[in-house]
Amino acid sequence: MALNWPNKDPDETLDYTVDWSRFLRPGTTISQVLWFVNDLTTGVKTAFNVGATVSGLSTTAQTISTDGTKATIFLAAGTNGRRYQLFCNMTDNRAVSAERRITIGIRNQ
């Protein structure tokens, strides 16, 4: 499943969330989240850890909600006019994993 997030201004630092609650079985929670970013210009998929910058896009924080059903990433900067694909890879407490692809564009607002 591919998701689209609204465009982000390069001067903003904003949080973006993937809600896994409809995917998770009752009583299960997220145990681990890994984020990746794919610069659509270069096509390279790279692990996106806190404090990392890939092709001008940075992540300042990453969280799992207190109820264990949502993964959030805080994004800063980005190159104006560029589009990025982010991948949210989740593993639940039953060792079941899934990944969602999200596209975000960077535009001066």
Side-chain angles (χ1 to χ4, degrees):
M1 169 194 271
L3 306 170
N4 285 304
W5 283 334
N7 289 337
K8 184 186 107 39
D9 187 283
D11 295 328
E12 298 173 323
T13 299
L14 299 173
D15 57 319
Y16 296 90
T17 299
V18 176
D19 184 347
W20 291 96
S21 61
R22 292 179 20 167
F23 176 84
L24 295 166
R25 284 188 172 179
T28 61
T29 58
I30 298 170
S31 60
Q32 179 181 18
V33 172
L34 301 173
W35 289 91
F36 299 88
V37 64
N38 182 2
D39 178 343
L40 295 181
T41 304
T42 64
V44 176
K45 184 177 176 180
T46 305
F48 205 30
N49 301 315
V50 174
T53 299
V54 176
S55 299
L57 185 66
S58 300
T59 178
T60 61
Q62 299 172 12
T63 62
I64 298 172
S65 63
T66 56
D67 67 355
T69 63
K70 298 172 190 74
T72 300
I73 189 168
F74 289 75
L75 298 175
T79 303
N80 187 46
R82 195 171 267 188
R83 293 173 51 82
Y84 299 87
Q85 282 184 336
L86 290 144
F87 299 85
C88 180
N89 183 296
M90 176 280 307
T91 303
D92 72 15
N93 58 351
R94 298 175 304 132
V96 173
S97 63
E99 185 172 81
R100 296 292 180 260
R101 181 182 68 220
I102 308 105
T103 301
I104 187 168
I106 307 300
R107 299 275 184 266
N108 283 329
Q109 311 258 336

